[in-house]
Structure formats: C-alpha cells, structure tokens
Amino acid sequence: MTGPAVPFREIVLKVHSRCDLACDHCYVYEHADQSWRTRPKTISDHVVSRTAQRLAEHARTHALPSVSVILHGGEPLLAGPARLRRVCEEFTSALAGIAELDLRIHTNGLQLSPRYLDLFDEFDVKVGISLDGDRAANDRHRRYADGRSSHPLVLKAVELLRQDRYRHLDLGLLCTIDIANDPVAVLDALTGLEPPLIDFLLPHATWDEPPPRPDGSPTAYAEWLLTIFDRWQEQGRPVPVRLFSSVLSTLSGGPSLTESLGLAPTDLVVVETDGQLEQVDSLKSAYEGAAATGFDVFTHSFDEVAAHPGVRARQLGLAGVSETCRRCPVVRSCGGGLYTHRYRSPDGFDNPSVYCADLEALIRGIEDRTAAATESPAVREPDELLAAQQDLTRTLLVHLHDSLDGSGGEAWESAWALAAEVEGDPAGQAGLDLVLAHPYTRTWLLDTLEAVRAGRPVEGSPVERLAASVAAAAVHARLDLAVPVAHRDGRLFLPTLGEVRAGGAGETGTALVRADGEGFTVHTEGCALHIARGAGEGPHWSPVRRLGAAGKAGAVREAGEPGPVQAADGPGPVPTLVLVLDDLDPYRTCFDTPATERLSPSATDAWSTSLAAAWELLARTVPEQAAEAAAVLTTLTPLAGGAPVQAGRHGYGALGIAAGVDAHILATALLRAFRQAKLRALAEVADLYASDGSWDHRMPWQEEREEPVPFSRLFAETYERVGLGLFAPRFLAGVPQALDMIEEAAETTVDGKQLLAVMRKEINGTHGTSGRNGCKTDAERTAMR
C-alpha cells in the first residue's frame, strides 16, 4: 500500500457497552463478534482523558480544522449525565485552540430527557435517534428483552427533540431497512416527524451470512428503496435522505455523502470503553476480531492506527475494491458497497458487496428517474451554454472583487461603483453584458485571480481593466456617464471597441471617457478627442474590426449590427458569421502561439479572404455545425504561427488563426477548434465526468504501441471526431466503438451521458446507429460485445 495514511477526522467513542433494548439485528450483540462481553460497561475517566489527548495530538499534527466525536454504545445515554458531562468537558478543553469540535450522540432515545438535552445544549451535542418507521416496522426488531414495544418512548424522545429550545440539536433519524416492512408506511412515518435528515441503513450482512430475501429477488432491497424514492419524490423531497443524496451527488460527479457508498477513504476510528482502538464497528458482523487493531489509546497514537493494514485497505479508493467492482460502470456511486458487506471466507473482503445487485439496480433506478431533471440544459441548448458562460464570467468578476478586499485601491472601487450605476440602466446592463461576453474578459479575470491567489500585488492594468470595461459598456449603451480610465504609454484600450492614442510614447495618466449619441469623447489634460461611432483607422484611433461581406474587413459597427462572413458567389444561403477581428486586446494571450501585432489592411484582406473560403466550405458541408458556430463565435485573433486554428485556453467564442492556410485545411481546423472550445466551455459549467485518471482507456483509433489514455482524452477526441466526421467521414472510424466505451465507463456522469446522446444523434444515419436519439438498443450493444 502506497501513499500516506489518511488522518482520522472522526472518532466513535463507546461511552457505554450495554443496551436497554434487545434488537435482534444489532451487529454489536447479535453478530459474530462478542467482544462486548469482556469490556467495561462504562468508559473510565482515564480512557476519556487519554483519548481526548490523543485526538488533540492528531489534530495538531495534521492541522485538522475540525474533528467529530460521536458518543456511541451500546446505548450511550446509559452512561448517565455526569459521565457524559465529563466526556464533553475533556474533549472541549483538549481541542480548544487546535480544532473545531463537532460533538454528536447516536441513541435509541429511550432515556432521553430534558436533563440530557440541557447538557447537550450546553456543549452543542447533536442528537441522532434510531427509529425504523411506524410502530409495526419499529417493533419488528427494536423491542425490550421481554418483548415490549419501544416505539412510544422513541416517539416521545423525537417530540422532545423537536421542541423549539432543542430543535437545533436534532441530527435526524437512522432507519435500518427491513424489506418485510411496508416502505411507504416507513417513509410516511419518518417524514411525518419532520427530521432534518433520514439515514436508511442496509442491515449488516456478508456472503457467509447473506441478508434475508423472502421472495428470492436479487434486487429486493433496491426495489424497496426505489419505492421509498418514488414516494419521496411524490412528496416533494420534504426531508433530505442521505442515501439518495449521495447517489444523486455521485451521478453528477460530486462526492459520496455516506461511508456506505462511494470511493472516499475512511477517516474514522473507534475507541472502546476499555481504550482499545478498533476499525469501523460494522466489521463485527464479519467474524470475531475483524475490527481489532491491537492498539489502544494508552500506548499508541492515532497515526499508528491509521497505518494499520486493515484501516489502509479502506483508504485506497478504487484500488481497494475488487477487480469486478473496478470494471463496473456504477462503482463511483456504490464504491463497492460498505466494506463489511464484501466479506466472504476464506478470501476476506476482496469481493463485491453482498448487496451488489441491489446497489446497481438502486443507482440505475435513481438515474433513470432523475436524469431529465438533473441534466444541465447547457449540454443540449447552445443558448443555455452561452447564458451559463455569461453567469460564470459575472461570478468570477464578483469573486475577484471579494478577493481583492480593498487591495485594488481607489481605482478599482470607483470603477466598481460605476459598474453598479451602468448595471442599473437596462441599456447599460445590455452594454455590460456585451463587454463581459468578450472572450478576453475571461482571460483578464482568471489571470488576475491567479495573481491574487498567489499573493502577488495586483495593480496597474489588471485593476484598470474594470474601468475600461465599464467605459466600453457605457459607449455601447450611449449612457451619459464620465468614466475615468487609465492610459499607459499614451494608449487607452476599450474592450470590444478599440485603442485611443491619448498621449505620446511613455506618457501615463487618466482620461475621462464620456459617450454621446454620435460616439464618445476622451478628455485628457487640456485636450478632448472625439471618436465618431463607426470611425475607421485614424492617427488617434484604431478600432477593432468586424469582418464584413465576402470576408472583407471593415470598421467596427454598432453593437449588434451584423458584419457577416459569407460566400461571395455560389447558390443557396450561407449561415452568417459575425466576427470581431481583435488584434489589439492586451489580454489576447490565451493561445499557445503568440498573437500578431496590428495587421495592415492588405494583410487583413488576405487573412479574411482565406477565412471566408474556409467558412463557405464548412457552411455548405456541415450547415448545422456552421450555424451553431455562427451563433457562438464572436472573436478571431491573428496568430504568429503554430496550429492553423487554436481554441483559447478560456473564454468561449474566441479562436486564434494563423495566416496563409489552405481553405480545406483551415475549414477542418476551424471545426476542430470550435469543438475543442465548446467542450471546454461545457466542462466549465457542467460535470461531464468524474475520477478522471482512475482508469485507462485504449482509443479505437490508437496504434497498439500507444499507451492507454485517461477518460478526459478519450472523451475529448471522440467529441472532436464526431464533429469532424460529419465534414470528412474518415474521422468516424472507431467513433461508434468509442461512444460505447464512454457509455459503459464509470467516469461518465449524468451530464456526460446527456452529451453522449447528443453525439449519437449527431452521427445518426451516418454510421448505422439506431435507437432513440441515435443510441444503440440493448440488443445491438449485446451483439457487438
């Protein structure tokens, strides 16, 4: 086992080893390990003190911001208020100034009273109560030794905890599943109590002692839980259910939210009443001594326990599950199931869960029921993707403002106030949207945020860009607003508009930019320079240029006025492409190759004529992709060399293009770069895959000698080839096989599968795919295997 051990962030402290109930499904008393019989009933002061010291030492060593201590048993309330007070005091004192302490207690609730809750209120101890549903469900297992029902007293405890003075301590309800119970009645009983959380727990079982299946169904537990899921959905999800929330999270690329599912490493250790340090308690279901480590709080540190082979085995993530599980598409969500449930003698825990079929059916069932509601609309709708990108840019701008926290100085604060003023006017808001949508705005924001995170001083152009953007927005909106904008080396750049020569070489200062109906005026010391709207190149003004009809470049036009790149000759309409030729923006640095300086008129004509020829070829061959590109691409920047066309590292809508490229090569490169840019934009607003790099994949078009690649590369190249294949069919070789690999890969999320369906639909009819939206049917997929 390689890599450092994961520090413990949670300890389960057994404060009492006996219980006042005789639940016949209890893993402590009714399963293989009977070590409780030899342990002290109540934890001693010495064990409490030593454990608190060990935890403080561990938190300090690993700089843990917080740690959780869960008071457990047996039944922890049997320890009594005085003993529990001592526990709370010891841990609160030991962790003071080292880490935040999260105290919790899990109880059957029978002993709960105001005396306990007042104590818990004093130390902010959160309370979780075990309840298996309505009375019939709860009484199936949770009874006193003489057979009496515990249900009335548990309900009394829950109602007490729901009182206003104690409600903030309510952790929720824990329910052990029994498929003999009515699932709807169970859920209704639990949600009727309005807990902050419900945690459904599969009964502990192993391959040696499998769970009961009255009807023999291999997915009986999934069916029971999916019935509850449907009822929960029908009720409007009134209460969070940890099991369901965890599956929904992992399906969308997020983390697991429970130890019983997912691939997150364990960070929990158990301290018994005698100070023995053990692994997770549920292991007692496997065999006698399964949880033991041989360590104790008196002579061993928590770091020593974290290095124990049994603990490390549950910290390996994907490497810690069986080979069968590693190949399973749902392993990110199920994580191989709870470690205990994998046990089978004589080969130990190197098996799928005894609930394997249930977990797969549950995960796929939840995905089928929720995919349409949880999918990101940006994956299917180009307009939604543009809107999501705009929201992301605005979020980054706010994040930069918060991160600067006043360090941007008066220039930033003044520009921020003026931005709010512009935003308050409908036309101003539209103008600001236009400037923020400019791709190099994103480059500026990300570069500046990186400087802030690195602790570098942020001054000069990164701060001044905001004022220039506000001024440009005011010009677009024709707002009568004076905006102070810095100029350096005599140059003042207004994003999306152009560059004003506001002074001589080497001069630095501040100008006032004010819009009017005819354009805008730049006021410098003793001088006022007016730039007419639509003005062309002049001694004091260099506009960003729009590519006009037949690919020729013209002066910048009114915001929103089209300047199409289209075919000069030829039958039939060609999708209009409105493009800014930006060879001025100082933040046009997001390409692998440097941008050129300002192009001469003759160079611009040659460059744009080549582009027009390539665009005509694309528009006639793949009109749907051309139409989408025309709606998205806004900015082209001439590059000094390198690849014919490059997608920027960030900022949707910009491409860099080298000059002097054959039209067919340029058309292919345009399409490839557009697909790259779109996939990058999608990945910024939707989780298309997760756990990238955990598996290797051999792409169907790879040579045998080439190394397998991570999922991200398989996904990206397949996405490119689908687009290119519609233009040049040779690129479709291997694509159907790659699509099947993506569909069956564990990394693919709900949004990734949505994009997969889009790709299948794109090639539908071009490579014999069938089924809804171009997806293969189950029979076809089986036949291919």
Side-chain angles (χ1 to χ4, degrees):
M1 298 180 188
T2 59
V6 176
F8 295 120
R9 289 174 172 80
E10 186 173 296
I11 70 167
V12 172
L13 186 67
K14 297 297 192 75
V15 295
H16 201 279
S17 66
R18 305 297 191 268
C19 189
D20 45 1
L21 285 180
C23 305
D24 59 16
H25 59 7
C26 180
Y27 60 84
V28 174
Y29 305 110
E30 303 297 332
H31 287 201
D33 191 314
Q34 293 291 299
S35 57
W36 64 273
R37 297 180 184 277
T38 61
R39 301 199 191 279
K41 288 184 178 180
T42 307
I43 195 169
S44 69
D45 289 350
H46 187 36
V47 172
V48 172
S49 176
R50 194 63 180 141
T51 303
Q53 292 170 19
R54 289 293 189 192
L55 182 58
E57 168 191 277
H58 192 66
R60 186 185 294 108
T61 299
H62 296 281
L64 301 179
S66 63
V67 290
S68 295
V69 177
I70 302 173
L71 310 182
H72 213 280
E75 170 48 50
L77 294 183
L78 292 178
R83 176 65 51 192
L84 293 178
R85 173 175 289 279
R86 179 63 183 270
V87 171
C88 294
E89 289 174 342
E90 282 282 355
F91 279 90
T92 299
S93 175
L95 273 298
I98 298 174
E100 184 179 343
L101 176 62
D102 174 23
L103 281 168
R104 302 181 176 199
I105 188 167
H106 287 173
T107 172
N108 60 31
L110 302 186
Q111 306 291 326
L112 199 64
S113 68
R115 182 173 57 160
Y116 281 108
L117 288 174
D118 288 340
L119 169 66
F120 298 156
D121 184 35
E122 182 180 344
F123 291 94
D124 197 28
V125 182
K126 301 298 192 296
V127 182
I129 295 178
S130 295
L131 178 64
D132 287 351
D134 59 338
R135 179 161 184 160
N138 198 70
D139 284 354
R140 192 178 297 278
H141 301 287
R142 295 188 179 279
R143 290 179 173 270
Y144 287 96
D146 61 6
R148 286 180 295 126
S149 169
S150 66
H151 191 254
L153 283 178
V154 180
L155 286 189
K156 183 179 178 182
V158 173
E159 291 299 332
L160 180 61
L161 192 55
R162 290 178 64 193
Q163 291 183 9
D164 288 344
R165 59 177 174 158
Y166 300 130
R167 188 180 290 271
H168 63 287
L169 302 176
D170 194 352
L171 196 60
L173 300 174
L174 290 82
C175 173
T176 300
I177 296 164
D178 188 326
I179 56 175
N181 291 325
D182 179 345
V184 172
V186 167
L187 181 68
D188 288 353
L190 298 178
T191 57
L193 297 172
E194 300 179 335
L197 178 73
I198 297 173
D199 208 353
F200 286 107
L201 309 174
L202 288 166
H204 291 313
T206 67
W207 288 101
D208 290 358
E209 297 288 339
R213 297 183 181 275
D215 60 358
S217 169
T219 57
Y221 289 85
E223 293 157 16
W224 193 90
L225 282 165
L226 286 171
T227 300
I228 282 190
F229 185 85
D230 291 340
R231 178 64 169 173
W232 182 62
Q233 294 266 79
E234 179 187 314
Q235 292 176 340
R237 302 186 182 184
V239 176
V241 175
R242 192 196 305 272
L243 182 65
F244 300 155
S245 298
S246 183
V247 172
L248 290 168
S249 172
T250 53
L251 285 173
S252 297
S256 169
L257 306 177
T258 172
E259 181 203 5
S260 61
L261 297 176
L263 294 168
T266 182
D267 57 2
L268 177 149
V269 64
V270 177
V271 182
E272 290 286 355
T273 54
D274 57 0
Q276 294 292 309
L277 290 162
E278 296 201 338
Q279 301 177 62
V280 63
D281 236 19
S282 62
L283 286 171
K284 296 179 187 296
S285 300
Y287 58 88
E288 182 79 34
T293 65
F295 299 140
D296 60 61
V297 297
F298 309 111
T299 54
H300 302 94
S301 69
F302 282 161
D303 275 0
E304 290 177 272
V305 186
H308 184 278
V311 176
R312 294 299 305 278
R314 293 182 294 113
Q315 296 181 340
L316 297 177
L318 184 65
V321 302
S322 70
E323 182 62 30
T324 301
C325 292
R326 283 195 290 273
R327 296 195 305 266
C328 178
V330 303
V331 68
R332 275 193 313 102
S333 291
C334 81
L338 190 69
Y339 191 74
T340 301
H341 300 165
R342 306 175 200 172
Y343 182 75
R344 186 202 312 257
S345 59
D347 52 323
F349 297 93
D350 190 23
N351 305 289
S353 168
V354 71
Y355 292 104
C356 178
D358 291 293
L359 293 173
E360 181 175 7
L362 174 66
I363 292 161
R364 293 191 182 280
I366 289 176
E367 181 178 12
D368 289 345
R369 287 161 166 79
T370 61
T374 57
E375 289 170 349
S376 170
V379 176
R380 290 190 186 272
E381 302 296 335
D383 288 349
E384 293 287 349
L385 177 56
L386 287 171
Q389 282 288 318
Q390 183 79 322
D391 287 345
L392 178 57
T393 299
R394 284 180 170 271
T395 299
L396 288 170
L397 179 58
V398 172
H399 182 46
L400 176 57
H401 177 68
D402 293 342
S403 299
L404 287 170
D405 193 24
S407 64
E410 185 178 341
W412 178 274
E413 298 301 328
S414 172
W416 186 261
L418 287 170
E421 189 172 340
V422 170
E423 185 84 335
D425 181 276
Q429 185 179 54
L432 196 57
D433 281 343
L434 181 65
V435 176
L436 291 180
H438 186 53
Y440 304 138
T441 296
R442 182 73 65 78
T443 307
W444 158 59
L445 288 170
L446 291 174
D447 285 357
T448 309
L449 276 167
E450 183 180 352
V452 172
R453 284 194 294 268
R456 299 194 297 269
V458 178
E459 54 191 9
S461 297
V463 169
E464 295 156 3
R465 176 77 176 212
L466 178 60
S469 299
V470 173
V475 172
H476 284 301
R478 306 188 186 203
L479 291 181
D480 183 14
L481 182 70
V483 182
V485 181
H487 62 85
R488 296 182 176 274
D489 197 27
R491 297 181 174 188
L492 187 157
F493 179 75
L494 298 176
T496 72
L497 293 175
E499 182 180 274
V500 180
R501 254 88 60 201
E507 290 186 17
T508 298
T510 300
L512 280 180
V513 178
R514 184 186 291 274
D516 57 49
E518 302 301 320
F520 63 96
T521 302
V522 179
H523 299 270
T524 56
E525 198 170 316
C527 179
L529 177 65
H530 187 264
I531 308 296
R533 193 172 294 274
E537 192 90 18
H540 298 289
W541 172 241
S542 296
V544 295
R545 292 166 285 191
R546 289 189 188 273
L547 298 178
K552 303 300 183 183
V556 67
R557 302 167 185 265
E558 303 284 347
E561 182 181 347
V565 173
Q566 58 186 36
D569 303 299
V574 176
T576 298
L577 181 63
V578 182
L579 291 170
V580 166
L581 169 58
D582 197 333
D583 50 7
L584 291 170
D585 197 313
Y587 283 96
R588 64 190 194 283
T589 55
C590 57
F591 303 100
D592 294 334
T593 302
T596 66
E597 295 300 321
R598 179 78 164 174
L599 291 183
S600 68
S602 60
T604 300
D605 284 346
W607 186 83
S608 56
T609 298
S610 174
L611 174 65
W615 177 252
E616 179 183 7
L617 187 58
L618 279 179
R620 300 211 180 280
T621 309
V622 283
E624 288 188 6
Q625 289 198 79
E628 183 180 355
V632 168
L633 294 177
T634 62
T635 308
L636 296 183
T637 288
L639 300 180
V645 184
Q646 297 176 32
R649 288 187 295 278
H650 34 67
Y652 192 30
L655 296 179
I657 300 185
V661 182
D662 170 81
H664 193 279
I665 294 174
L666 183 57
T668 305
L670 272 171
L671 189 53
R672 184 191 300 275
F674 173 65
R675 298 287 285 196
Q676 291 172 347
K678 183 178 178 183
L679 185 62
R680 182 178 291 124
L682 283 168
E684 288 173 339
V685 298
D687 288 314
L688 303 174
Y689 49 83
S691 303
D692 186 39
S694 298
W695 292 265
D696 288 329
H697 303 271
R698 182 167 293 284
M699 296 184 290
W701 45 85
Q702 267 186 306
E703 297 288 340
E704 278 297 321
R705 64 179 180 273
E706 293 182 78
E707 292 294 320
V709 300
F711 183 82
S712 54
R713 185 173 165 191
L714 169 67
F715 200 98
E717 288 203 20
T718 303
Y719 187 72
E720 285 178 29
R721 282 173 170 265
V722 167
L724 291 169
L726 303 178
F727 178 67
R730 62 188 172 86
F731 286 103
L732 283 178
V735 165
Q737 295 93 324
L739 294 175
D740 287 343
M741 290 170 64
I742 291 170
E743 184 171 26
E744 295 166 6
E747 297 97 322
T748 317
T749 63
V750 168
D751 282 335
K753 290 178 182 178
Q754 183 183 8
L755 186 55
L756 174 68
V758 171
M759 288 190 278
R760 288 198 188 277
K761 187 173 182 179
E762 284 183 297
I763 66 169
N764 188 25
T766 67
H767 210 275
T769 54
S770 58
R772 186 170 58 90
N773 290 336
C775 297
K776 288 183 175 62
T777 64
D778 289 339
E780 288 172 314
R781 281 197 296 271
T782 301
M784 286 186 64
R785 293 192 182 114

